[in-house]
Amino acid sequence: MKKKCVWFLMVLLFAVGELTLIGCSKDNEEEDNLGASRPIPNMLSDLSLPGAFINWTLWESHSLFGYTMKIEFDYKECTYTLQRSGTVETIAKYTYSFKYPTITLTSINEDKEVITGTIVSYAFKADDITFKNSKNETVWMQMTRKK
C-alpha cells in the first residue's frame, strides 16, 4: 500500500510541475499583447541626416470641418491640394529648396509668393511641418508626414 501511495504522489508532483512549466512558456500569448503596447518607432526616412531628400514625400492634415490639405513633393516641384467633401478645390504648384529643418516654397505664379516650412522630427511618430508666409503668419494647418 505504501508503494502505491508513493507512486501516486510522484505522479501528482510530476503533473503539477508540468502544469507550472507550461504556464511559464515564452510562447505565451500574453507576452505578445504586452509587447504590442510599446511605442512604434518612426519608420519613415530620417530627413535630418546629411544629404536627405524631401522629394517623393507626402504631408497631410485633416480638419474637423471636412477638408483635407495635402502637399506632395516630387523631384523639383511640390503640389498643394485642398480637398473638401471629396472634391478638389485648390491646387497650387511651388518650386522648393530644402535644408533640414527648413523648406522654402516659391509660387510658380507671377506673384512669386514665398512660404517657409519648418519640420519637426520625432522618434516615435511621423514628422510634422508648419508653414508661414513672409510676414511670419501661419498660412496652412500643421501637416503630418504620410510617406
Side-chain angles (χ1 to χ4, degrees), residues 20-126:
T20 304
L21 288 175
I22 290 172
C24 294
S25 172
K26 291 220 182 229
D27 296 330
N28 192 351
E29 288 183 28
E30 286 184 43
E31 287 294 322
D32 291 339
N33 291 336
L34 290 175
S37 66
R38 293 186 186 114
I40 299 171
N42 182 356
M43 301 300 286
L44 300 170
S45 61
D46 188 355
L47 295 175
S48 66
L49 294 175
F53 297 102
I54 198 164
N55 50 326
W56 313 119
T57 62
L58 171 67
W59 304 74
E60 193 173 281
S61 65
H62 300 280
S63 166
L64 297 174
F65 301 109
Y67 60 89
T68 301
M69 295 174 138
K70 293 181 183 180
I71 190 161
E72 190 165 10
F73 294 88
D74 64 16
Y75 187 67
K76 292 185 178 190
E77 296 178 346
C78 65
T79 305
Y80 168 79
T81 308
L82 174 65
Q83 297 175 330
R84 185 176 302 214
S85 302
T87 61
V88 176
E89 288 189 12
T90 305
I91 295 180
K93 291 211 175 261
Y94 297 87
T95 58
Y96 68 89
S97 63
F98 173 68
K99 181 164 173 76
Y100 185 85
T102 305
I103 184 158
T104 305
L105 309 176
T106 306
S107 175
I108 293 178
N109 299 336
E110 291 177 14
D111 62 0
K112 299 292 182 190
E113 176 188 24
V114 175
I115 297 174
T116 304
T118 304
I119 298 171
V120 178
S121 297
Y122 304 96
F124 293 106
K125 72 173 200 163

Side-chain angles (χ1 to χ4, degrees), residues 116-139:
T116 304
T118 304
I119 298 171
V120 178
S121 297
Y122 304 96
F124 293 106
K125 72 173 200 163
D127 304 335
D128 289 330
I129 191 169
T130 54
F131 296 96
K132 296 190 177 197
N133 62 13
S134 58
K135 298 175 188 171
N136 205 26
E137 301 168 331
T138 302
V139 290

Side-chain angles (χ1 to χ4, degrees), residues 7-19:
W7 176 252
F8 176 74
L9 286 175
M10 285 179 58
V11 170
L12 182 64
L13 185 62
F14 180 73
V16 169
E18 282 295 314
L19 289 175

